[in-house]
Amino acid sequence: MPRDSIGLLGKESPEDEIAAAIDWARRSPLHRSRLLEYLPQQHPLYRERSANEVIRIRGYLFESFRHNGLPESALPFVLEALETGRSAYLVAGAAIAIRGLPAPRPEIIPYLLKAVSNMKFEDDAISFETYKPRWPLTNTTTALMEIFRTFQWMGSAALESVVQLKELCLDSYFSQDVRAEIRKAISVIEDGARSGCCEWPVSKRLRRTSFRKRKRLTAEIAGLRLEDHDGHTMTFGEYFIDEPALVVFFYTRCDNPNKCSLTITRLGQLQKALVDAGLEGHVKIAAITYDPTYDQPYRLDSYCRNRGMLLDDQNRVFRLETGTPDLLRYFDAGVNYIGSIVNQHTTELFILDRDGNIANHFQQLQWNVSEVIDQLRKQVRKRRPASAHSVVTRLRDLMSPLLSLVITFFPKCPLCLAAYVSVLGITNIHLLQFAHQLLPVFVALLFINPLSLFMGAERRNGLTPFYLSLLGAVCVAVFGLWMDARMLAYIGTGLILTGSLLNSLDRDKFAWIKERWLVLG
Amino acid sequence: MIDKDEYIKRTQEQVTAHEKAIENGLSKLRSTQNSTEYKAALQAIPSVKEVEDVRKGMQLLTNKQEDTEVRLLVLRKARSAIGRNTEYIRDCFLIVQDTDDQVELRRAILSVLGAFSFGSREFVPLRPEYMTLLRSLLDDPDALIQERAAEELAKEKDEYVQRRLLDGLAGREQPIVPTAKAIQLLGYDIHAEHYPVVRKILEDPRSDETTKVEAIHVLGNDAQSRDLLTALMTDKQQPIEVRMTSATAMKTSNPDYFTHLAKSIVLDEQEEPDLRAVCLNAMMHQSDPSALYADDDFVQKLTKVRSLTTSDALKQQSTGFLTKAMRHKPKG
């Protein structure tokens, strides 16, 4: 495999060449970033390949991230496979890929649990030892086994899933081998949780929406002719004008119940929520098929109505007689084809402004109704003067990061609580009448924080947080107690808190900060 | 007419005799060591349910030296009990896998496992093992077992079987099933990459009629095969079965274009009456045939077709169409 061809894979590349490129990147972690460009479903690499071939490539690609690390930008694709995947090979590859993250993240748990429910009746024997293996194979694994091994890898970060795992352990639909993996996961998680809370990362919200640069509607797209479920035709520009709009893509022949069928069902729920939110009549809704040849108006009509979607002048489902590829290019839709048949697609939702321009979109992960309504409300409010209500909304928006900060610093175990009390006690000891008698206790407790950071240094973010905390403790002890220089003691307190905060950040974020700001360690 | 009490008495006697026969059969099954008596005992009982009896039955089923008929009887009578026990299901896997075992029994067990795969709760945790078994059976020396395994895997849209079927069709390896069967099995998944290969097979003049019909069924889902299906549907040199299947496939994939072609076929007196009848029938089963019924020119010409044709099928379909057209006519 020539090194340079890894970035040149495309529609014509034979599968063996693709597998060789992935194998090569697996052995050379420095080149993993070159695999990232193959993650979007619309990449030409997937054109004119069967759905199973696409699954083979993506599953193998996902699995390789375990060996050379899973970058943040690849995470939504991996989580999407866990959330909606119905193929054991793809889901197993995604579950294994999670173990390539720098550190476990609790927000992954719902996706792993969804994958368990997706795979419960679809589990299969698989192998990643070679690409396109020839059966019979002896050394196989299964998707469920790999999901529960990922729970084991999560350790104490998966503490919130223990109750569900214990329930799953009693479920007779799982084999003895799978249940053994669940029991092992429970034990690893509980053991990890007993060792302390200081290694817990700050929970980072998964990015579900992309506010990329606004995309302007072109004359070519505005002129595309749409045919709705009733057979009425109109141009794109005629329909998507005057009011903000919401667009989803789907096709009626999709055989994954977690994708198109669910998208249209949820669109029906969104329509009801829009009525409750008072946005009915202010927003247009459109579902557009990926498969216009097969999806004739009568098929679109019955498919959408059967899933609870309301169809009227404001809410329509469309097909394009011609120009579907142009429209998909405009939306940069995550879809690919073999002939006229869709071979893979993502779940996506677009919000258009009053002029038909793409304002933002939700891609990869299933969108949730309240997030979409928030975005739509913003579009509806545009061109209206700011009101007192918007000030309240902004204040409410500020509350979320503030709350995260409070949670970060809130002592989560008795030892941390003792360390915090000690810091505050020493720096303000002059205010307390009999506190000097407790001085030795305060000093001992003061050094618990650096000690816990030192012990957890290997698992977490190295020795830098420890050095900061130690320096802070020494400042508090020396300046606060011995020299009575309270200002310097407060700086020491700040250093202890900074050390704790850096320790609780995930490795990627910490590495970024360290690279730019820190000279210590 | 039989006396009511007499009838009840006779029925009770029959029930008692039947129960006694079952009792005897079960006790013989428990005590005997002889194949002939096992056979007689198993034939006498409707099913094997008791734990100990099922265990005994499984000993017979897994014993390669035992008479095939006895083992088949055990499979039939203890089927439900086997489906409720994962260990017994695993024993069945081992028998099917064993190419030295009796092929008739292996085939029968494979059918039973197919039924368990969607009807047994206890089978769910064994799915990965079952899929592994089926994949290994694709290279079984028995062609029927190979075909049945391929069929089960194809229903699951399995990647491995699709790969093997395609390699067989493209001549890259020895086919595991006949060409027509391979096309049918690949057709279970519209997302497979079989359309180009199947199109090539359909275009090949050496392909037999059965293979062509299977190929047309599959290509009905493929928009890129429209021209090929149109050519077959309108080519009077093609066998009637091929033309009729093409018409049905066209109706699914491209209803508007089908209607356009079908109208001219129905009105063409030189055409096969069966094909004309099939086209007319298919036209009436469109999602919204009201535009068709409103086509006065077509309705008028069809009236003439009905009066002239000697084909019962075409006459019947024309009458049906014209009746519906009358009903759709605007009143006044």
Side-chain angles (χ1 to χ4, degrees):
Chain A
M1 172 76 205
R3 286 172 170 223
D4 289 341
S5 70
I6 192 173
L8 302 171
L9 298 173
K11 183 185 155 192
E12 305 297 335
S13 306
E15 270 191 275
D16 294 341
E17 195 181 309
I18 299 166
I22 296 170
D23 287 339
W24 181 74
R26 182 180 300 176
R27 288 190 298 271
S28 323
L30 288 174
H31 296 277
R32 71 166 185 190
S33 59
R34 299 176 75 180
L35 292 178
L36 299 182
E37 67 173 286
Y38 300 113
L39 287 172
Q41 284 87 344
Q42 60 269 44
H43 192 282
L45 177 71
Y46 302 110
R47 209 168 290 156
E48 296 309 323
R49 298 185 194 274
S50 72
N52 271 328
E53 198 177 340
V54 169
I55 285 169
R56 274 202 295 270
I57 297 170
R58 289 179 80 78
Y60 202 64
L61 178 62
F62 284 163
E63 197 269 346
S64 75
F65 288 121
R66 180 204 177 174
H67 306 276
N68 48 24
L70 179 68
E72 185 71 23
S73 58
L75 188 59
F77 295 95
V78 170
L79 294 182
E80 179 190 26
L82 291 174
E83 187 177 46
T84 60
R86 307 287 293 181
S87 150
Y89 190 77
L90 187 72
V91 172
I96 294 171
I98 294 289
R99 310 207 285 263
L101 280 171
R105 292 169 54 174
E107 62 270 34
I108 288 162
I109 293 168
Y111 297 93
L112 288 172
L113 290 171
K114 182 72 172 64
V116 171
S117 93
N118 286 341
M119 283 296 108
K120 193 170 175 179
F121 299 100
E122 307 280 336
D123 203 15
D124 197 353
I126 44 149
S127 169
F128 290 100
E129 281 187 9
T130 54
Y131 188 73
K132 271 180 40 170
R134 177 115 187 162
W135 293 76
L137 299 168
T138 45
N139 198 8
T140 59
T141 180
T142 76
L144 284 172
M145 302 273 270
E146 293 305 331
I147 295 167
F148 292 116
R149 281 176 192 152
T150 301
F151 272 109
Q152 290 163 24
W153 171 83
M154 298 270 294
S156 59
L159 191 61
E160 68 183 69
S161 66
V162 165
V163 176
Q164 281 130 309
L165 290 178
K166 283 181 177 166
E167 278 169 18
L168 292 175
C169 209
L170 302 173
D171 193 332
S172 62
Y173 279 120
F174 297 120
S175 67
Q176 290 299 333
D177 290 346
V178 170
R179 280 194 262 178
E181 292 291 345
I182 304 175
R183 278 193 291 274
K184 203 170 160 190
I186 295 169
S187 144
V188 170
I189 293 166
E190 288 183 335
D191 285 351
R194 272 193 286 276
S195 71
C197 71
C198 293
E199 71 265 28
W200 272 57
V202 173
S203 187
K204 201 163 38 175
R205 262 176 73 86
L206 287 166
R207 201 166 58 108
R208 301 177 71 96
T209 174
S210 159
F211 297 94
R212 62 180 173 187
K213 203 175 166 192
R214 195 163 149 264
K215 195 164 181 181
R216 290 199 74 81
L217 180 65
T218 60
E220 184 198 6
I221 299 299
L224 289 175
R225 284 211 83 75
L226 306 169
E227 183 183 19
D228 77 359
H229 53 278
D230 272 336
H232 299 134
T233 59
M234 64 208 76
T235 64
F236 188 94
E238 282 165 0
Y239 184 69
F240 294 103
I241 197 78
D242 291 338
E243 279 156 357
L246 179 152
V247 176
V248 297
F249 287 93
F250 79 107
Y251 72 116
T252 64
R253 289 197 282 185
C254 177
D255 55 9
N256 184 339
N258 291 330
K259 287 194 170 177
C260 295
S261 184
L262 186 62
T263 296
I264 298 299
T265 306
R266 300 185 74 235
L267 205 54
Q269 293 164 358
L270 180 68
Q271 287 175 322
K272 292 185 185 96
L274 284 173
V275 176
D276 296 340
L279 292 175
E280 190 194 15
H282 299 288
V283 174
K284 282 178 179 167
I285 288 183
I288 304 176
T289 177
Y290 289 127
D291 187 8
T293 314
Y294 183 81
D295 283 342
Q296 296 293 316
Y298 69 93
R299 284 195 174 112
L300 296 173
D301 185 274
S302 64
Y303 186 89
C304 292
R305 285 189 199 278
N306 287 340
R307 282 160 183 76
M309 186 180 166
L310 169 83
L311 296 174
D312 57 25
D313 288 350
Q314 289 278 113
N315 302 274
R316 295 182 199 235
V317 49
F318 291 112
R319 64 186 284 273
L320 275 82
E321 194 65 64
T322 54
T324 300
D326 298 326
L327 188 75
L328 294 176
R329 248 193 314 277
Y330 170 65
F331 281 98
D332 193 20
V335 62
N336 232 311
Y337 291 86
I338 173 169
S340 60
I341 312 264
V342 174
N343 62 7
Q344 69 162 341
H345 68 93
T346 184
T347 310
E348 50 198 347
L349 181 148
F350 297 85
I351 290 173
L352 309 188
D353 65 16
R354 292 171 194 272
D355 300 316
N357 308 308
I358 299 174
N360 52 38
H361 77 285
F362 294 77
Q363 217 161 12
Q364 266 82 52
L365 306 176
Q366 270 292 356
W367 39 273
N368 92 39
V369 169
S370 58
E371 278 178 313
V372 174
I373 288 184
D374 283 348
Q375 293 301 321
L376 285 170
R377 192 174 272 132
K378 278 180 192 165
Q379 288 302 323
V380 171
R381 278 200 199 119
K382 275 190 180 170
R383 295 190 191 174
R384 285 186 191 165
S387 63
H389 181 75
S390 68
V391 176
V392 173
T393 310
R394 277 181 195 178
L395 277 174
R396 206 183 295 146
D397 289 346
L398 258 177
M399 284 303 287
S400 173
L402 277 175
L403 194 63
S404 302
L405 208 65
V406 170
I407 289 168
T408 304
F409 286 111
F410 191 81
K412 294 177 272 297
C413 70
L415 291 180
C416 293
L417 180 68
Y420 282 17
V421 166
S422 162
V423 168
L424 296 174
I426 289 171
T427 48
N428 295 288
I429 203 161
H430 60 287
L431 299 173
L432 303 170
Q433 208 177 347
F434 304 107
H436 282 88
Q437 288 151 13
L438 291 170
L439 201 59
V441 180
F442 282 166
V443 172
L445 291 175
L446 180 64
F447 284 91
I448 285 175
N449 182 270
L451 184 66
S452 72
L453 297 186
F454 179 75
M455 288 168 71
E458 210 169 297
R459 274 172 300 162
R460 298 291 312 150
N461 293 332
L463 287 170
T464 308
F466 160 72
Y467 289 140
L468 284 173
S469 180
L470 184 67
L471 185 65
V474 171
C475 282
V476 171
V478 173
F479 298 116
L481 298 176
W482 187 35
M483 296 172 70
D484 205 20
R486 263 193 298 281
M487 204 54 217
L488 290 171
Y490 286 135
I491 290 172
T493 308
L495 285 170
I496 291 174
L497 291 174
T498 309
S500 296
L501 175 66
L502 290 175
N503 188 60
S504 61
L505 289 178
D506 77 51
R507 281 190 193 178
D508 273 354
K509 186 71 86 190
F510 177 73
W512 185 85
I513 293 172
K514 194 176 169 184
E515 209 172 89
R516 281 160 184 77
W517 304 104
L518 294 178
V519 286
L520 290 168
Chain B
M1 195 169 161
I2 193 165
D3 175 58
K4 182 184 155 196
D5 293 335
E6 180 63 23
Y7 175 77
I8 293 171
K9 193 181 155 197
R10 266 196 228 168
T11 311
Q12 274 172 345
E13 278 171 4
Q14 280 173 4
V15 170
T16 314
H18 190 65
E19 280 173 349
K20 205 169 175 188
I22 293 172
E23 195 61 40
N24 284 340
L26 282 171
S27 80
K28 227 183 237 176
L29 178 71
R30 287 163 193 160
S31 58
T32 194
Q33 299 289 325
N34 166 316
S35 290
T36 320
E37 287 187 1
Y38 277 136
K39 213 181 294 176
L42 284 162
Q43 275 162 347
I45 54 178
S47 61
V48 180
K49 287 179 192 161
E50 297 297 323
V51 178
E52 281 307 315
D53 298 334
V54 178
R55 192 171 296 148
K56 177 87 188 257
M58 285 309 293
Q59 280 170 4
L60 293 172
L61 185 67
T62 52
N63 181 5
K64 278 168 84 170
Q65 311 308 318
E66 190 50 74
D67 183 62
T68 312
E69 223 174 303
V70 171
R71 296 172 78 190
L72 284 166
L73 273 169
V74 170
L75 182 67
R76 205 179 316 148
K77 307 286 174 164
R79 186 183 150 134
S80 305
I82 295 171
R84 285 194 293 269
N85 184 309
T86 48
E87 285 316 308
Y88 293 158
I89 297 172
R90 277 207 176 98
D91 288 338
C92 290
F93 286 176
L94 292 175
I95 298 172
V96 179
Q97 213 163 15
D98 184 357
T99 50
D100 292 334
D101 213 326
Q102 296 141 356
V103 73
E104 205 184 330
L105 179 74
R106 294 174 63 226
R107 287 176 187 168
I109 292 180
L110 190 55
S111 292
V112 168
L113 290 176
F116 288 164
S117 70
F118 63 84
S120 159
R121 183 190 164 92
E122 283 71 14
F123 199 86
V124 174
L126 300 177
R127 191 176 185 273
E129 287 170 60
Y130 179 55
M131 297 296 279
T132 305
L133 168 74
L134 291 175
R135 286 176 195 133
S136 71
L137 294 179
L138 293 180
D139 294 303
D140 198 86
D142 182 62
L144 207 65
I145 287 181
Q146 261 189 318
E147 190 172 310
R148 221 168 263 171
E151 176 119 34
E152 288 299 314
L153 287 168
K155 278 194 262 178
E156 300 287 334
K157 300 179 180 174
D158 180 65
E159 173 272 329
Y160 184 61
V161 78
Q162 284 184 6
R163 202 189 330 153
R164 296 288 303 273
L165 291 170
L166 277 167
D167 284 348
L169 285 181
R172 289 190 288 266
E173 70 163 63
Q174 187 70 22
I176 48 175
V177 292
T179 306
K181 190 72 188 174
I183 293 172
Q184 184 204 344
L185 297 185
L186 283 167
Y188 289 168
D189 184 6
I190 59 160
H191 303 92
E193 56 182 326
H194 53 296
Y195 293 128
V197 185
V198 175
R199 266 199 299 269
K200 209 178 275 178
I201 291 169
L202 184 56
E203 283 165 335
D204 188 343
R206 289 168 299 175
S207 299
D208 60 55
E209 198 178 314
T210 317
T211 306
K212 280 187 174 176
V213 168
E214 284 301 340
I216 295 163
H217 277 306
V218 166
L219 293 175
N221 287 313
D222 177 34
Q224 290 179 340
S225 299
R226 191 181 92 163
D227 292 346
L228 181 58
L229 294 181
T230 306
L232 289 171
M233 183 179 161
T234 51
D235 181 359
K236 292 182 181 173
Q237 307 305 314
Q238 290 292 335
I240 184 72
E241 193 67 28
V242 168
R243 297 187 67 199
M244 287 200 294
T245 315
S246 303
T248 326
M250 282 285 290
K251 191 228 156 197
T252 311
S253 62
N254 202 326
D256 291 343
Y257 194 59
F258 163 76
T259 306
H260 168 74
L261 289 177
K263 272 184 183 173
S264 60
I265 288 176
V266 170
L267 301 177
D268 184 351
E269 284 175 24
Q270 307 304 313
E271 274 290 3
E272 287 279 349
D274 282 353
L275 178 66
R276 295 166 76 192
V278 163
C279 286
L280 196 54
N281 188 3
M283 283 159 74
M284 284 189 282
H285 286 92
Q286 283 186 26
S287 63
D288 182 17
S290 49
L292 203 62
Y293 297 134
D295 183 346
D296 288 339
D297 183 47
F298 181 70
V299 170
Q300 227 169 27
K301 285 174 179 164
L302 191 65
T303 312
K304 203 172 156 194
V305 167
R306 185 177 58 169
S307 59
L308 292 177
T309 185
T310 53
S311 158
D312 287 344
L314 184 56
K315 208 180 268 284
Q316 198 184 337
Q317 291 301 334
S318 309
T319 307
F321 187 96
L322 293 169
T323 312
K324 284 181 182 168
M326 282 292 283
R327 264 189 241 141
H328 276 77
K329 224 171 183 178
K331 285 177 183 134

